[in-house]
Amino acid sequence: MNVNLEALLYLVAAVAFIIGLKRLGSPRTARNGNMISGGGMALAIVVTLIDNEVSWAVLVAGAVVGSLIGAVLAMRVKMTAMPQMVAAFNGFGGLASALVVGAEFLRGDGEAIFPVEVILTMILSVFIGAVTFTGSMIAYAKLQGLLSGSPITYPGQKVANAALFAGILGFGVWTQATQQSLPFVIVAVISLILGVAMVIPIGGADMPVVIALLNSLSGMAAAATGFVIDNSALVIAGALVGASGIILSALMCEAMNRSLTNVLFGAFGAVSEQSGPTVHGDVRSTTADDVAIALAYANRVVVVPGYGLAVAQAQHALREVASILERRGVEVRYGIHPVAGRMPGHMNVLLAEADVPYDYLLDLDQTNAMLPRTDVVLVLGANDVVNPAARDDSGSPIYGMPILEVDHARTVVVVKRSLSPGFAGIDNPLFYKDGTMMLFADAKKALNDLVAALDLV
Amino acid sequence: MPAAVVIAIVVFVLASFVGFELITKVPPTLHTPLMSGSNAVSGITIVGAIVATGIENNTMAAVFAFVAVAAAMINVVGGYLVTDRMLGMFRRPKREDPK
């Protein structure tokens, strides 16, 4: 194929990715956009196959293995396990980029002298790809529960990580100067170690930021590989993914009122940072029957789901309660905090899976605008995101974090197993407020009880 | 610096800005499909992996190419399929829902 024609076809593929992203701007067009993007990918693959000498044995074997694994994972994965899967996919992306560059380095066979800019981008690509790979595997292990979600720290950790990074720089310079494979391999190995070292001190609650960041890195790795093999499709696609991950990590940081450096290096939740004055007072405990009456006679109910709801697999029971209420003429909406799930937008997917229409899923600002005109708020497995201390108590570790201001509603019903503090280990004054009723139960059992109780109202 | 590298840098920077503009318009509801869809797009490394299978007389490079093709295809196939599966779950309110 003509070189120019090839470049133009890669451009068409890149445009398809851009259109795909653009159509992700609305749930109505998103699915179609995903297909357009997939079409672009298919085109890029076909162009590459036509235009290159390939080893069909290696290619077909790899493609069959990869496609099968990918398809099985995609069809089988539970929506609750989505964060792990995205983490693992980020890792595979990084691994692929690092290996492509490793193979290109071997192509030189120790004799070819790469131009400066090529060897530099090779080092960069291997570094980003390797860090993304092992970092993602640790994130996967933490989310999957194979590793403890609490931060793993040791004295001198930051110094050790800085030393690793310095090592990469040093051996990178050596590689660049001599073009030998030994320092290049050492760069790859230290990068693999650095990926592990960077992610182990980050706590489970901060994983949404980490996955988003690794998502970005997997894009950067692809873009760097694009520089190495001089392919604009990789550069453009990598840049798009890189931008996406950075925006999402920034949004997550904002939602937690934390800086990115604090998330990455703060080891949040390692020591129990108790808030100064722990609130104590009387808690009003209630029963499913009373809650059913309050809900049934409300005009508007806002449900605030937290990750506890997903853990209890109670989305479907929630939808059942909502359907009964809607049949009675109650308006039911869902207030979703950006960090409600284990990754950006996770809770929305879990509720969509339970057949909640997307128009009913409200973001932070929409919910807070509605709460003063809401009769009952049902808090299910959420804790820190409704903690008024984040707004009122400047001594609280979560002070300044944007919250769903559920205490502005007339009545708040908190469904929770016990008064134990949440993920971040912070006491919640909401539980002791006058307008708050506590329903002590597992979310799923409470919702099933509510279904039964609503039948009798 | 050769012209090809300069052009690649120009393309990278402009594409990043396009990415920022588009992604800030994706509503929070679709952030998870956005991430899995990004996974799929970063599977574009498959192009590099396919090229790498053509490297001859180096067994190590062939092993790298094989794993790279497999890993990239996991992203491409898995990424697009799971994104489609998720987006299929997003529905509008049904007509029969009460007012």
Side-chain angles (χ1 to χ4, degrees):
Chain A
M1 204 187 290
N2 179 305
V3 185
N4 289 335
L5 177 61
E6 185 196 30
L8 289 175
L9 287 173
Y10 280 129
L11 177 64
V12 173
V15 168
F17 299 148
I18 291 172
I19 294 174
L21 271 182
K22 185 162 171 52
R23 296 187 78 81
L24 214 50
S26 155
R28 251 173 304 132
T29 53
R31 199 172 185 187
N32 167 267
N34 187 50
M35 283 174 195
I36 294 175
S37 175
M41 185 64 72
L43 175 68
I45 291 175
V46 170
V47 171
T48 314
L49 287 177
I50 292 175
D51 251 28
N52 289 277
E53 289 291 318
V54 298
S55 155
W56 285 97
V58 174
L59 178 63
V60 172
V64 168
V65 171
S67 304
L68 276 178
I69 296 176
V72 170
L73 287 177
M75 300 325 283
R76 290 259 177 93
V77 67
K78 291 204 175 84
M79 288 303 133
T80 42
M82 214 54 214
Q84 293 89 303
M85 185 157 122
V86 167
F89 279 13
N90 288 337
F92 295 139
L95 176 67
S97 294
L99 288 175
V100 166
V101 171
E104 288 297 328
F105 188 84
L106 289 170
R107 189 199 285 274
D109 222 5
E111 286 162 24
I113 300 298
F114 298 104
V116 177
E117 71 280 359
V118 173
I119 193 80
L120 282 180
T121 46
M122 279 181 159
I123 297 166
L124 187 67
S125 181
V126 161
F127 162 61
I128 302 175
V131 167
T132 310
F133 174 53
T134 50
S136 299
M137 290 304 127
I138 297 296
Y140 170 84
K142 286 200 174 208
L143 288 160
Q144 183 69 27
L146 304 173
L147 271 182
S148 155
S150 48
I152 299 168
T153 53
Y154 52 86
Q157 192 163 27
K158 280 171 200 166
V159 178
N161 288 357
L164 287 173
F165 188 72
I168 291 169
L169 280 181
F171 284 99
V173 170
W174 182 2
T175 311
Q176 198 271 324
T178 65
Q179 305 239 350
Q180 285 168 1
S181 47
L182 177 70
F184 192 59
V185 171
I186 296 176
V187 167
V189 172
I190 305 180
S191 302
L192 290 170
I193 299 170
L194 185 64
V196 176
M198 290 286 289
V199 179
I200 53 170
I202 303 173
D206 288 342
M207 278 303 134
V209 181
V210 175
I211 312 172
L213 205 61
L214 289 166
N215 199 229
S216 174
L217 281 180
S218 76
M220 298 294 186
T225 307
F227 277 81
V228 174
I229 64 167
D230 190 19
N231 183 302
S232 61
L234 265 82
V235 173
I236 296 174
L240 295 174
V241 175
S244 157
I246 285 177
I247 291 178
L248 291 176
S249 26
L251 285 176
M252 287 292 110
C253 285
E254 199 182 307
M256 297 193 296
N257 190 35
R258 312 255 310 278
S259 69
L260 189 57
T261 31
N262 181 264
V263 170
L264 293 181
F265 305 113
F268 194 70
V271 280
S272 55
E273 307 171 48
Q274 246 325 324
S275 61
T278 39
V279 233
H280 281 296
D282 287 332
V283 165
R284 200 144 61 98
S285 176
T286 185
T287 63
D289 293 335
D290 288 344
V291 175
I293 291 168
L295 291 173
Y297 292 101
N299 285 320
R300 178 185 285 150
V301 171
V302 170
V303 179
V304 176
Y307 198 65
L309 180 83
V311 171
Q313 286 288 310
Q315 311 90 291
H316 299 276
L318 170 61
R319 180 67 193 134
E320 212 179 326
V321 169
S323 299
I324 296 172
L325 292 174
E326 279 160 3
R327 277 200 295 276
R328 297 184 64 110
V330 182
E331 183 187 310
V332 183
R333 292 293 180 269
Y334 303 79
I336 299 176
H337 193 278
V339 297
R342 286 283 156 90
M343 69 187 287
H346 192 200
M347 189 53 68
N348 305 66
V349 171
L350 293 169
L351 292 176
E353 188 190 18
D355 261 341
V356 175
Y358 58 74
D359 286 348
Y360 295 179
L361 306 172
L362 308 181
D363 67 22
L364 193 65
D365 293 338
Q366 292 167 323
T367 312
N368 280 337
M370 190 178 265
L371 283 170
R373 292 169 287 118
T374 297
D375 302 298
V376 183
V377 172
L378 190 58
V379 180
L380 287 160
N383 189 349
D384 295 333
V385 300
V386 293
N387 192 339
R391 183 190 58 210
D392 306 330
D393 173 10
S394 59
S396 170
I398 57 169
Y399 181 70
M401 175 176 115
I403 55 162
L404 291 161
E405 303 188 313
V406 296
D407 52 342
H408 289 173
R410 193 169 305 155
T411 309
V412 181
V413 177
V414 179
V415 179
K416 209 172 175 307
R417 256 183 286 208
S418 69
L419 278 178
S420 71
F423 223 41
I426 301 151
D427 207 6
N428 193 339
L430 175 74
F431 304 159
Y432 309 96
K433 290 212 171 195
D434 283 342
T436 305
M437 297 191 286
M438 303 294 295
L439 181 56
F440 291 110
D442 159 79
K444 193 171 194 170
K445 182 176 180 305
L447 287 164
N448 286 332
D449 289 351
L450 278 177
V451 171
L454 278 168
D455 275 346
L456 303 173
V457 177
Chain B
M1 207 165 17
V5 179
V6 178
I7 292 170
I9 292 173
V10 170
V11 169
F12 177 79
V13 172
L14 292 181
S16 300
F17 277 96
V18 171
F20 275 105
E21 284 304 314
L22 289 176
I23 286 139
T24 42
K25 295 200 179 72
V26 176
T29 287
L30 293 179
H31 278 170
T32 294
L34 169 63
M35 287 182 80
S36 64
S38 302
N39 276 149
V41 172
S42 70
I44 188 70
T45 312
I46 186 65
V47 167
I50 292 172
V51 173
T53 65
I55 299 170
E56 280 164 357
N57 60 43
N58 190 319
T59 323
M60 196 57 163
V63 174
F64 281 9
F66 166 76
V67 180
V69 169
M73 281 311 277
I74 293 178
N75 267 3
V76 170
V77 175
Y80 281 115
L81 278 183
V82 83
T83 306
D84 184 67
R85 199 180 136 206
M86 260 191 282
L87 291 173
M89 293 171 181
F90 284 86
R91 293 202 185 87
R92 315 208 65 181
K94 291 196 198 88
R95 281 275 166 76
E96 56 268 30
D97 272 7
K99 51 264 143 198

